[in-house]
Amino acid sequence: TILSAINDFGHDVVFRWPVGLDWTSAAENGLFDDIDLVLVNGEGSIHNSATRHRTRQLCKLGPFAARELGVPVHLVNSTIAALDKAALNDLRHFSSISVRETVSCRYLQDYGLKSEVVPDLSLGHAAPPVEERKAVLVTDSIVDPAAHVLEETAERISGRFISFQKKKRSLLEKLTFRGKANTPIKGANLPRALERDLDRILRDFSGCQVLLTGRFHAFCLAILSRTPVIAVESNTHKIGAMAMDVFGSSDRVVESETATVESLVAMVPVAGFSELETQAIEAFLEKASMARCQMWERILA
């Protein structure tokens, strides 16, 4: 969605940098020397800055771009929580901040930081047509105890279980990845395999009666495909906060600490959307589309 917007406004992507790698090496190698704008895709990475190096590095892009480069720097598509004073001060240097849900917006507001709510950019993907819905689909969670509960629930209800957990790399694979990661990603094309994976996942979601998940983006794509969904909260407030923005309640979201197989099994038979919920989804998706358009116009025009 981000790369398409950049292309639509007639801009070129000079380079992209992997979130898992410290960007200061890119600066030292001169990669920032010929750019007009820095765009930071925050996703779920900006929280708990006191203990997370990645969070601190992403926040530091604000003062670096503003002071050292003299170019606009925009933080988009982010959930934000539990930042220390240094990280919050770094955020003050961003030209704009767009967060994925209202809870993050209110959090920043409490510290005198202005932001706009633009629901997750995955919602900009085209939803597949809904055909016959059957069976229950269950995904894992980034929170290990919740992932175990979800997998056991899938077994209990004979649902199909999908894990999005990355496989552990061998030493050779780690060294190979590290070598590739130190090379900036040129251009604006996604790997075809990634696009195929996204299309397949959306088709899977659109074909199930109920989605049971502990993944934020699975919750997003369930809303996009109008698939009845029950979720176990992730490692921040992001799923429950989005549910509040969509439905005005978090009844469809269970806290990871209290989720049990029995409670999830009981929720599945009554997971269908009510008429009011269906209307709320349509209104939310329309509002999200307008917010995306306004954000890109402001940043890229």
Side-chain angles (χ1 to χ4, degrees), residues 135-197:
V136 177
L137 191 63
V138 185
T139 83
D140 63 351
S141 168
I142 197 170
V143 181
D144 286 339
H148 294 312
V149 170
L150 285 160
E151 187 168 9
E152 289 179 24
T153 303
E155 294 178 4
R156 180 80 64 86
I157 62 177
S158 299
R160 179 185 168 199
F161 182 76
I162 297 177
S163 174
F164 293 113
Q165 197 69 33
K166 293 180 180 178
K167 296 179 180 179
K168 291 185 178 180
R169 298 187 179 99
S170 66
L171 177 60
L172 177 60
E173 288 173 325
K174 287 179 181 179
L175 292 173
T176 301
F177 173 78
R178 189 169 298 170
K180 289 180 178 178
N182 277 290
T183 302
I185 306 169
K186 300 289 187 179
N189 294 321
L190 288 177
R192 282 298 304 158
L194 182 58
E195 293 182 356
R196 287 195 300 270
D197 284 347

Coordinates of all heavy atoms in Angstrom, one line a residue, residues 135-197:
A135 N -16.1 -23.9 7.7 CA -15.1 -24.3 8.7 C -14.5 -23.0 9.4 O -14.9 -21.9 9.2 CB -13.9 -25.0 8.0
V136 N -13.7 -23.3 10.4 CA -13.1 -22.3 11.2 C -11.6 -22.3 11.0 O -10.9 -23.3 10.9 CB -13.4 -22.6 12.7 CG1 -12.7 -21.5 13.6 CG2 -14.9 -22.6 13.0
L137 N -11.0 -21.1 10.8 CA -9.6 -20.9 10.6 C -9.0 -20.3 11.9 O -9.5 -19.4 12.5 CB -9.4 -20.0 9.4 CG -7.9 -19.9 8.9 CD1 -7.5 -21.3 8.4 CD2 -7.9 -18.9 7.7
V138 N -7.9 -20.8 12.3 CA -7.2 -20.4 13.6 C -5.8 -20.1 13.2 O -5.1 -20.8 12.6 CB -7.3 -21.4 14.7 CG1 -6.7 -20.9 16.0 CG2 -8.7 -21.9 14.9
T139 N -5.3 -18.9 13.7 CA -3.9 -18.5 13.6 C -3.2 -18.5 14.9 O -3.9 -18.6 16.0 CB -3.7 -17.2 12.9 OG1 -3.8 -16.1 13.9 CG2 -4.7 -16.9 11.8
D140 N -1.9 -18.4 14.9 CA -1.1 -18.3 16.1 C -1.1 -16.9 16.7 O -1.8 -16.0 16.2 CB 0.3 -18.9 15.9 CG 1.1 -18.0 14.9 OD1 0.5 -17.2 14.3 OD2 2.3 -18.3 14.7
S141 N -0.2 -16.6 17.6 CA 0.0 -15.3 18.2 C 1.5 -15.1 18.4 O 2.3 -16.0 18.6 CB -0.7 -15.2 19.6 OG -0.3 -14.1 20.3
I142 N 1.9 -13.8 18.5 CA 3.3 -13.5 18.8 C 3.6 -13.8 20.3 O 4.7 -13.9 20.7 CB 3.6 -12.0 18.5 CG1 5.1 -11.8 18.4 CG2 2.9 -11.1 19.4 CD1 5.5 -10.5 17.9
V143 N 2.5 -13.8 21.1 CA 2.6 -14.2 22.6 C 2.5 -15.7 22.7 O 1.5 -16.3 22.4 CB 1.5 -13.5 23.4 CG1 1.6 -13.8 24.8 CG2 1.5 -12.0 23.1
D144 N 3.6 -16.3 23.2 CA 3.7 -17.7 23.2 C 2.6 -18.4 24.0 O 2.0 -19.4 23.4 CB 5.1 -18.2 23.8 CG 6.2 -17.9 22.8 OD1 5.9 -17.8 21.6 OD2 7.4 -17.8 23.3
P145 N 2.2 -18.0 25.2 CA 1.1 -18.7 25.9 C -0.2 -18.7 25.1 O -0.9 -19.6 25.0 CB 1.0 -18.0 27.2 CG 2.3 -17.4 27.4 CD 2.8 -17.0 26.1
A146 N -0.5 -17.5 24.5 CA -1.7 -17.4 23.7 C -1.6 -18.3 22.4 O -2.6 -18.8 22.0 CB -1.9 -15.9 23.3
A147 N -0.4 -18.4 21.8 CA -0.3 -19.2 20.7 C -0.6 -20.7 21.0 O -1.3 -21.4 20.2 CB 1.2 -19.1 20.1
H148 N -0.2 -21.1 22.2 CA -0.5 -22.5 22.6 C -2.0 -22.7 22.8 O -2.6 -23.7 22.4 CB 0.3 -22.8 23.9 CG 1.8 -22.9 23.7 ND1 2.4 -23.6 22.7 CD2 2.8 -22.3 24.5 CE1 3.7 -23.5 22.8 NE2 3.9 -22.7 23.9
V149 N -2.6 -21.7 23.4 CA -4.1 -21.8 23.6 C -4.8 -21.8 22.3 O -5.8 -22.6 22.1 CB -4.6 -20.6 24.5 CG1 -6.1 -20.6 24.5 CG2 -4.0 -20.7 25.9
L150 N -4.4 -21.0 21.4 CA -5.0 -21.0 20.1 C -4.9 -22.3 19.3 O -5.8 -22.8 18.7 CB -4.5 -19.8 19.2 CG -5.0 -18.5 19.6 CD1 -4.0 -17.4 19.1 CD2 -6.4 -18.2 19.1
E151 N -3.7 -22.9 19.4 CA -3.4 -24.2 18.7 C -4.3 -25.3 19.3 O -4.9 -26.1 18.6 CB -2.0 -24.5 18.7 CG -1.6 -25.7 17.9 CD -0.1 -25.9 17.7 OE1 0.7 -25.2 18.3 OE2 0.2 -26.8 16.9
E152 N -4.4 -25.3 20.7 CA -5.2 -26.3 21.3 C -6.7 -26.1 21.0 O -7.4 -27.1 20.9 CB -5.0 -26.2 22.8 CG -3.6 -26.7 23.3 CD -3.4 -26.5 24.8 OE1 -4.5 -26.5 25.5 OE2 -2.3 -26.4 25.3
T153 N -7.1 -24.9 20.9 CA -8.5 -24.6 20.5 C -8.8 -25.1 19.1 O -9.8 -25.7 18.9 CB -8.8 -23.1 20.6 OG1 -8.5 -22.6 21.9 CG2 -10.2 -22.8 20.2
A154 N -7.8 -24.9 18.2 CA -8.0 -25.4 16.8 C -8.2 -27.0 16.8 O -9.1 -27.5 16.1 CB -6.8 -25.1 16.0
E155 N -7.4 -27.6 17.7 CA -7.6 -29.1 17.8 C -8.9 -29.5 18.4 O -9.6 -30.4 17.9 CB -6.4 -29.7 18.6 CG -5.1 -29.5 18.0 CD -4.0 -30.1 18.9 OE1 -4.3 -30.6 20.0 OE2 -2.8 -29.9 18.6
R156 N -9.3 -28.7 19.4 CA -10.6 -29.0 20.1 C -11.8 -28.9 19.1 O -12.7 -29.7 19.2 CB -10.8 -28.1 21.2 CG -12.1 -28.3 22.1 CD -11.9 -29.5 23.0 NE -10.9 -29.2 24.0 CZ -11.1 -28.6 25.2 NH1 -12.4 -28.1 25.4 NH2 -10.2 -28.5 26.0
I157 N -11.8 -27.9 18.2 CA -12.9 -27.6 17.4 C -12.7 -28.2 15.9 O -13.5 -27.9 15.1 CB -13.3 -26.1 17.3 CG1 -12.1 -25.3 16.7 CG2 -13.7 -25.6 18.7 CD1 -12.4 -23.9 16.5
S158 N -11.6 -28.9 15.8 CA -11.3 -29.4 14.4 C -11.1 -28.3 13.4 O -11.6 -28.4 12.2 CB -12.3 -30.4 14.0 OG -12.4 -31.5 14.9
G159 N -10.6 -27.2 13.8 CA -10.3 -26.1 12.9 C -9.0 -26.2 12.2 O -8.1 -26.9 12.7
R160 N -8.8 -25.5 11.2 CA -7.5 -25.4 10.5 C -6.6 -24.4 11.1 O -7.0 -23.3 11.3 CB -7.8 -25.0 9.0 CG -6.5 -24.9 8.2 CD -6.8 -24.4 6.8 NE -5.6 -24.1 6.1 CZ -5.6 -23.3 5.0 NH1 -6.7 -22.8 4.5 NH2 -4.4 -23.0 4.4
F161 N -5.4 -24.8 11.5 CA -4.5 -24.0 12.2 C -3.4 -23.5 11.3 O -2.8 -24.3 10.5 CB -3.9 -24.7 13.4 CG -2.9 -23.9 14.2 CD1 -3.4 -22.9 15.1 CD2 -1.6 -24.0 14.1 CE1 -2.6 -22.1 15.8 CE2 -0.7 -23.3 14.8 CZ -1.2 -22.3 15.7
I162 N -3.1 -22.2 11.3 CA -2.0 -21.6 10.5 C -1.1 -20.9 11.4 O -1.5 -20.1 12.2 CB -2.6 -20.6 9.5 CG1 -3.5 -21.3 8.5 CG2 -1.4 -19.9 8.7 CD1 -4.1 -20.3 7.5
S163 N 0.2 -21.2 11.3 CA 1.2 -20.5 12.1 C 2.0 -19.5 11.2 O 2.4 -19.8 10.1 CB 2.2 -21.5 12.7 OG 3.3 -20.8 13.3
F164 N 2.1 -18.2 11.7 CA 2.9 -17.2 11.0 C 4.3 -17.0 11.7 O 5.0 -16.1 11.4 CB 2.2 -15.9 11.0 CG 0.9 -15.9 10.2 CD1 -0.3 -15.8 10.8 CD2 1.0 -16.0 8.8 CE1 -1.5 -15.8 10.0 CE2 -0.2 -16.1 8.0 CZ -1.4 -16.0 8.6
Q165 N 4.6 -17.9 12.6 CA 5.9 -17.8 13.3 C 7.0 -18.1 12.3 O 7.0 -19.1 11.5 CB 5.9 -18.9 14.4 CG 7.0 -18.6 15.4 CD 6.8 -17.4 16.3 OE1 5.6 -17.1 16.6 NE2 7.8 -16.7 16.6
K166 N 8.0 -17.3 12.3 CA 9.2 -17.4 11.5 C 10.0 -18.7 11.9 O 10.2 -18.9 13.1 CB 10.1 -16.2 11.5 CG 9.4 -15.0 10.9 CD 10.4 -13.8 10.9 CE 9.7 -12.5 10.3 NZ 10.6 -11.4 10.4
K167 N 10.4 -19.4 10.9 CA 11.3 -20.6 11.2 C 12.7 -20.1 11.7 O 13.2 -19.1 11.1 CB 11.4 -21.5 10.0 CG 10.1 -22.1 9.6 CD 10.2 -23.0 8.4 CE 8.9 -23.6 8.0 NZ 9.1 -24.5 6.7
K168 N 13.3 -20.8 12.6 CA 14.6 -20.4 13.0 C 15.6 -20.7 11.9 O 15.6 -21.8 11.3 CB 15.0 -21.2 14.3 CG 14.2 -20.8 15.5 CD 14.6 -21.5 16.8 CE 13.9 -21.1 18.0 NZ 14.3 -21.8 19.2
R169 N 16.5 -19.8 11.7 CA 17.5 -19.9 10.7 C 18.7 -20.7 11.2 O 19.1 -20.6 12.3 CB 18.0 -18.6 10.2 CG 16.9 -17.7 9.5 CD 17.5 -16.5 8.9 NE 16.5 -15.6 8.3 CZ 15.9 -14.6 8.8 NH1 16.3 -14.2 10.1 NH2 15.0 -13.9 8.2
S170 N 19.3 -21.4 10.3 CA 20.6 -22.0 10.6 C 21.7 -20.9 10.6 O 21.4 -19.8 10.2 CB 21.0 -23.1 9.5 OG 21.2 -22.4 8.3
L171 N 22.9 -21.3 11.1 CA 24.0 -20.3 11.2 C 24.3 -19.8 9.8 O 24.5 -18.6 9.6 CB 25.2 -20.9 11.8 CG 26.5 -20.1 11.9 CD1 26.2 -18.8 12.7 CD2 27.6 -20.8 12.5
L172 N 24.3 -20.6 8.8 CA 24.6 -20.2 7.4 C 23.5 -19.3 6.9 O 23.9 -18.2 6.3 CB 24.7 -21.4 6.5 CG 25.0 -21.1 5.0 CD1 26.3 -20.4 4.8 CD2 25.0 -22.4 4.2
E173 N 22.3 -19.6 7.2 CA 21.2 -18.7 6.8 C 21.3 -17.3 7.4 O 21.0 -16.3 6.8 CB 19.8 -19.4 7.1 CG 19.5 -20.5 6.1 CD 18.3 -21.3 6.6 OE1 18.0 -21.4 7.8 OE2 17.5 -21.8 5.7
K174 N 21.6 -17.3 8.7 CA 21.8 -16.1 9.5 C 22.9 -15.2 8.9 O 22.7 -14.0 8.7 CB 22.1 -16.3 10.9 CG 20.9 -16.9 11.7 CD 21.3 -17.1 13.2 CE 20.1 -17.7 14.0 NZ 20.5 -18.0 15.4
L175 N 24.0 -15.8 8.5 CA 25.1 -15.1 8.0 C 24.7 -14.5 6.6 O 25.0 -13.4 6.2 CB 26.3 -15.9 7.9 CG 27.0 -16.3 9.2 CD1 28.1 -17.3 9.0 CD2 27.5 -15.1 9.9
T176 N 24.0 -15.4 5.8 CA 23.6 -14.9 4.5 C 22.6 -13.8 4.5 O 22.7 -12.8 3.8 CB 22.9 -16.1 3.7 OG1 23.9 -17.2 3.6 CG2 22.5 -15.7 2.3
F177 N 21.6 -13.9 5.5 CA 20.7 -12.8 5.7 C 21.3 -11.5 6.1 O 21.0 -10.5 5.6 CB 19.6 -13.3 6.7 CG 18.7 -12.1 7.1 CD1 17.6 -11.8 6.3 CD2 18.9 -11.4 8.3 CE1 16.7 -10.8 6.6 CE2 18.0 -10.4 8.6 CZ 16.9 -10.1 7.8
R178 N 22.3 -11.7 7.0 CA 23.0 -10.5 7.5 C 23.7 -9.8 6.4 O 23.7 -8.5 6.3 CB 23.9 -10.8 8.6 CG 24.5 -9.6 9.3 CD 25.3 -10.1 10.6 NE 24.4 -10.8 11.5 CZ 24.8 -11.4 12.6 NH1 26.0 -11.6 12.9 NH2 23.9 -12.0 13.4
G179 N 24.3 -10.5 5.5 CA 25.0 -9.9 4.3 C 24.0 -9.2 3.4 O 24.3 -8.1 2.9
K180 N 22.9 -9.8 3.2 CA 21.9 -9.2 2.3 C 21.3 -8.0 2.9 O 21.0 -7.0 2.3 CB 20.8 -10.2 2.0 CG 21.2 -11.3 1.0 CD 20.1 -12.3 0.7 CE 20.5 -13.4 -0.2 NZ 19.4 -14.3 -0.5
A181 N 21.1 -8.0 4.3 CA 20.4 -6.9 5.0 C 21.2 -5.7 5.0 O 20.7 -4.6 5.0 CB 20.1 -7.3 6.4
N182 N 22.6 -5.8 4.9 CA 23.4 -4.7 4.8 C 23.4 -4.0 3.5 O 24.0 -2.9 3.3 CB 24.9 -5.0 5.2 CG 25.1 -5.1 6.7 OD1 25.0 -4.1 7.4 ND2 25.2 -6.3 7.2
T183 N 22.7 -4.6 2.5 CA 22.6 -3.9 1.2 C 21.2 -3.3 1.2 O 20.2 -4.0 1.4 CB 22.7 -5.0 0.1 OG1 24.0 -5.6 0.2 CG2 22.5 -4.3 -1.3
P184 N 21.0 -2.0 0.9 CA 19.7 -1.4 0.9 C 18.8 -2.0 -0.2 O 19.3 -2.5 -1.2 CB 20.0 0.0 0.6 CG 21.3 0.0 -0.1 CD 22.1 -1.1 0.5
I185 N 17.5 -2.1 0.1 CA 16.6 -2.6 -0.9 C 16.2 -1.5 -1.9 O 15.6 -0.5 -1.5 CB 15.3 -3.1 -0.2 CG1 15.7 -4.1 1.0 CG2 14.4 -3.8 -1.1 CD1 14.6 -4.4 1.9
K186 N 16.6 -1.7 -3.1 CA 16.4 -0.7 -4.1 C 15.0 -0.9 -4.8 O 14.4 -2.0 -4.8 CB 17.4 -0.8 -5.3 CG 18.8 -0.6 -4.8 CD 19.1 0.8 -4.4 CE 20.6 1.0 -4.1 NZ 20.9 2.4 -3.7
G187 N 14.4 0.2 -5.2 CA 13.2 0.2 -6.0 C 12.0 0.0 -5.1 O 12.0 -0.1 -3.9
A188 N 10.8 -0.1 -5.8 CA 9.5 -0.2 -5.1 C 8.8 -1.4 -5.3 O 7.5 -1.4 -5.2 CB 8.7 1.1 -5.4
N189 N 9.4 -2.5 -5.8 CA 8.7 -3.7 -6.1 C 8.8 -4.7 -4.9 O 9.8 -4.9 -4.3 CB 9.3 -4.4 -7.3 CG 9.0 -3.5 -8.6 OD1 8.0 -2.9 -8.7 ND2 10.0 -3.5 -9.4
L190 N 7.6 -5.3 -4.6 CA 7.6 -6.4 -3.6 C 8.0 -7.7 -4.2 O 7.7 -7.9 -5.4 CB 6.3 -6.5 -2.9 CG 5.9 -5.4 -2.0 CD1 4.4 -5.6 -1.5 CD2 6.8 -5.3 -0.8
P191 N 8.6 -8.6 -3.5 CA 8.8 -9.9 -4.1 C 7.4 -10.6 -4.4 O 6.5 -10.4 -3.7 CB 9.4 -10.7 -2.9 CG 10.0 -9.7 -2.0 CD 9.1 -8.5 -2.1
R192 N 7.4 -11.2 -5.6 CA 6.1 -11.9 -6.0 C 5.6 -12.9 -5.0 O 4.4 -13.0 -4.8 CB 6.3 -12.5 -7.3 CG 6.3 -11.6 -8.5 CD 5.0 -10.9 -8.7 NE 3.9 -11.8 -8.8 CZ 2.6 -11.4 -8.5 NH1 2.4 -10.2 -8.0 NH2 1.7 -12.3 -8.6
A193 N 6.5 -13.5 -4.3 CA 6.1 -14.5 -3.3 C 5.3 -13.9 -2.2 O 4.3 -14.4 -1.7 CB 7.3 -15.2 -2.7
L194 N 5.7 -12.7 -1.8 CA 5.0 -12.0 -0.7 C 3.6 -11.6 -1.2 O 2.6 -11.7 -0.5 CB 5.8 -10.7 -0.3 CG 5.2 -9.9 0.8 CD1 5.0 -10.7 2.1 CD2 6.0 -8.6 1.1
E195 N 3.5 -11.1 -2.4 CA 2.2 -10.8 -3.0 C 1.3 -12.0 -3.1 O 0.1 -11.9 -2.7 CB 2.3 -10.1 -4.3 CG 3.0 -8.7 -4.3 CD 3.1 -8.1 -5.6 OE1 2.7 -8.7 -6.6 OE2 3.5 -6.9 -5.7
R196 N 1.8 -13.1 -3.5 CA 1.1 -14.4 -3.6 C 0.6 -14.8 -2.2 O -0.5 -15.3 -2.0 CB 1.9 -15.5 -4.3 CG 2.1 -15.3 -5.8 CD 2.6 -16.5 -6.4 NE 3.8 -17.0 -5.9 CZ 5.0 -16.6 -6.4 NH1 5.1 -15.8 -7.4 NH2 6.1 -17.0 -5.8
D197 N 1.5 -14.7 -1.2 CA 1.1 -15.1 0.2 C -0.1 -14.2 0.7 O -1.0 -14.8 1.3 CB 2.3 -14.9 1.1 CG 3.3 -16.0 1.0 OD1 3.0 -17.0 0.3 OD2 4.5 -15.8 1.5

